[in-house]
Amino acid sequence: MSTTMRAAVCVRAGGPDVLEIRELPVPAVREGWSLVQVKGAGLNRSELRTRQGHSPNVTFPRVLGIECVGIVAASTDPKLPDGTKVAAVMGEMGREFDGGYAEYALLPNSLLMPVTTTLPWDVLAALPETYLTAQGALNTLGVVPRGRGRLLIRGGTSSVGMAAASIASGHGVETAATTRRQGKIDALTAAGVDHVLVGDGGSLAASVHAVWPEGPDYVLDLVGASTAVNSLHLVRRGGTVCMAGSLSGWVIPDFEPIAMIPSGTKLTAFHSDDLKGSAGTTVLQRVVHEVEAGVYRPNVDRVFGLDDIVAAHRYMENNEATGKLVVVP
């Protein structure tokens, strides 16, 4: 194994150009941590925000990347011998320590999730953060296989939105999803969405009520702070809204719960850190099996090489993707 590796390093806070390809030493293995040869890493908007300087606990330079898939190259855990296929998400990857934008990543053993699969690396790389978040959010909402109910996904063409649509469709749940672009209707339909609601400046409530006069039973809100209160008034009285994304930011200004949450309606949230490591291993393996069986239809919008990381971040920042972006070192 080489003693050096290529990595995309965020040298300071700023635009996409602050990501630089550098030659770094391969990290030295230490107790409790194992070296993973990275075969693919999904891109996430949280990495975009970290790059922009909105993560105050992150110091630069830093190799970003809150998830990756690959092969254990040097293990300190007898349960994860060299050669094991693994995935890892969250747990301060790419924040407190270097993450997946590199040829190798030194990761805590507690984050490594062994996975058995024949999926191509780029497809596998699109699954961990996206599908664990989608599955966790649907569990939080109470959307279950063969369950009844109507689900509205806000931010439908985000990677998590399309994963949630794929899972909900596999469960047999009637689903609607929002998008701002006519050109993304076919992709949402292919992901399993029954009703695509295109934002044209008109009332979303009117579009929703044209499909479901009483409103949806569940709203999965991936847009975030700017739409949270509106979602609470879109869902039927007594329904549930789950916040699991922050495309529009994290903070709801001047939030007044008693005034803004209709009586009996429930507001909850899901954070993907809840399914890191051993907590997510069984869930991820089940997702992999469903993808291999064709039940879930992962949408990989584009695969970038490590040299193209600046273009990848620019593409993500411009909201051009329909589904997941993946980088392959």
Side-chain angles (χ1 to χ4, degrees):
M1 186 173 67
S2 173
T3 59
T4 62
M5 67 177 187
R6 298 170 70 253
V9 181
C10 186
V11 297
R12 61 185 177 278
D17 290 335
V18 301
L19 294 167
E20 298 181 2
I21 303 300
R22 293 186 173 180
E23 196 84 9
L24 300 178
V26 172
V29 176
R30 64 180 186 269
E31 187 64 30
W33 297 60
S34 292
L35 186 67
V36 174
Q37 182 183 14
V38 177
K39 294 294 189 178
L43 300 185
N44 299 277
R45 294 190 73 86
S46 63
E47 295 148 6
L48 184 155
R49 292 208 171 88
T50 296
R51 191 208 75 217
Q52 292 171 333
H54 301 309
S55 300
N57 63 318
V58 175
T59 57
F60 301 108
R62 172 66 68 213
V63 177
L64 304 181
I66 66 169
E67 64 173 320
C68 69
V69 297
I71 298 171
V72 175
S75 176
T76 63
D77 184 346
K79 298 189 297 296
L80 295 167
D82 293 3
T84 303
K85 287 185 179 181
V86 292
V89 299
M90 299 297 289
E92 295 304 315
M93 280 180 67
R95 296 168 61 84
E96 287 188 6
F97 54 90
D98 286 345
Y101 290 14
E103 292 179 322
Y104 290 90
L106 184 67
L107 302 173
N109 292 333
S110 60
L111 285 188
L112 300 182
M113 297 180 284
V115 60
T116 302
T117 182
T118 58
L119 292 174
W121 286 113
D122 58 337
V123 175
L124 183 63
L127 303 181
E129 174 67 12
T130 294
Y131 270 82
L132 289 177
T133 300
Q135 185 64 72
L138 293 178
N139 290 348
T140 300
L141 281 167
V143 176
V144 297
R146 295 174 297 282
R148 300 197 173 199
R150 299 155 298 188
L151 169 69
L152 171 65
I153 303 170
R154 302 193 69 169
T157 55
S158 67
S159 58
V160 175
M162 297 194 76
S166 179
I167 295 171
S169 175
H171 288 352
V173 173
E174 186 179 359
T175 305
T178 66
T179 179
R180 291 177 294 178
R181 301 184 186 181
Q182 288 277 349
K184 297 191 174 185
I185 292 175
D186 289 346
L188 285 168
T189 301
V193 173
D194 299 295
H195 312 284
V196 179
L197 309 179
V198 181
D200 55 4
S203 166
L204 176 59
S207 297
V208 171
H209 291 143
V211 175
W212 299 318
E214 296 180 359
D217 301 288
Y218 316 103
V219 176
L220 172 55
D221 195 326
L222 302 169
V223 178
S226 69
T227 56
V229 174
N230 179 255
S231 290
L232 287 165
H233 291 272
L234 279 177
V235 73
R236 69 164 176 80
R237 184 66 67 93
T240 305
V241 175
C242 178
M243 308 299 298
S246 57
L247 298 174
S248 65
W250 293 309
V251 179
I252 305 173
D254 303 318
F255 183 57
E256 301 178 44
I258 293 177
M260 294 178 174
I261 304 177
S263 297
T265 297
K266 295 173 280 294
L267 174 63
T268 187
F270 176 76
H271 193 290
S272 58
D273 209 43
D274 294 345
L275 285 179
K276 66 178 183 290
S278 59
T281 299
T282 301
V283 179
L284 180 60
Q285 187 65 67
R286 186 171 68 245
V287 166
V288 167
H289 285 154
E290 297 287 17
V291 172
E292 290 174 335
V295 178
Y296 296 170
R297 292 157 283 183
N299 189 290
V300 180
D301 180 275
R302 189 169 294 187
V303 179
F304 293 88
L306 194 61
D307 287 329
D308 299 318
I309 194 66
V310 171
H313 263 243
R314 190 170 288 120
Y315 188 77
M316 178 166 56
E317 195 160 359
N318 291 338
N319 298 315
E320 296 181 69
T322 303
K324 189 71 171 180
L325 303 179
V326 171
V327 62
V328 176

